[in-house]
Amino acid sequence: MSRVFQVTFDAHDPVALSLFWRDALGYVLPGPPGTELAEGEDPLAAWDAFLARIGVPEEARRTRSAIENPAGTGPRVFFQRVPEGKAAKNKVHLDVRAAPGLKGEERMAALEAECARLVALGARRLARHAPEPPLGAGHLVLADPDTSDYQF
């Protein structure tokens, strides 16, 4: 039997990082349990009101955040505040697949376009790896806005 899972990231600013990944992946911020969000309603404001209503202190209200695939087909991504910095390379990271099936210069052009979009959202470009056939299709390495150490 398969299991449902979520991917969890430690972060300095979970809300800001969730907003970046929401926009990068086309995900959504879910509303609080039992809450139906109206069209255009701010889910962060709904969470703040919900957490205040159940007695969560203000300083603890933005220590966690999550995003979900709107079609329900991808994993939930959860972000949690941690006090410590990152000490080593990530063993797990997200690969944004912006050019599946493309090869050569067409692939690299699609990756460059996606890189520009993600940099505009707050990512930082770290490296470009040209195609190296037969196994290396070429890829770009970026860091998300939370810290220079997180790569995708």
Side-chain angles (χ1 to χ4, degrees), residues 3-7 25-28 67-78 94:
R3 301 285 189 262
V4 174
F5 69 94
Q6 74 179 7
V7 178
L25 300 175
Y27 271 42
V28 296
I67 58 173
E68 296 175 348
N69 182 300
T73 57
R76 182 177 192 259
V77 184
F78 183 76
L94 300 182

Side-chain angles (χ1 to χ4, degrees), residues 70-146:
T73 57
R76 182 177 192 259
V77 184
F78 183 76
F79 304 90
Q80 61 189 3
R81 181 178 297 155
V82 295
E84 68 275 0
K86 192 171 99 104
K89 182 180 185 289
N90 288 340
K91 291 187 176 191
V92 175
H93 60 268
L94 300 182
D95 284 341
V96 177
R97 299 191 68 217
L102 299 180
K103 294 181 182 175
E105 287 308 312
E106 184 181 17
R107 174 183 173 75
M108 297 310 291
L111 294 178
E112 292 290 353
E114 181 66 358
C115 178
R117 184 182 79 84
L118 295 172
V119 166
L121 293 174
R124 283 177 294 91
R125 181 186 177 126
L126 300 178
R128 182 182 197 271
H129 297 275
E132 293 183 22
L135 297 178
H139 64 278
L140 303 178
V141 179
L142 292 88
D144 71 26
D146 191 60

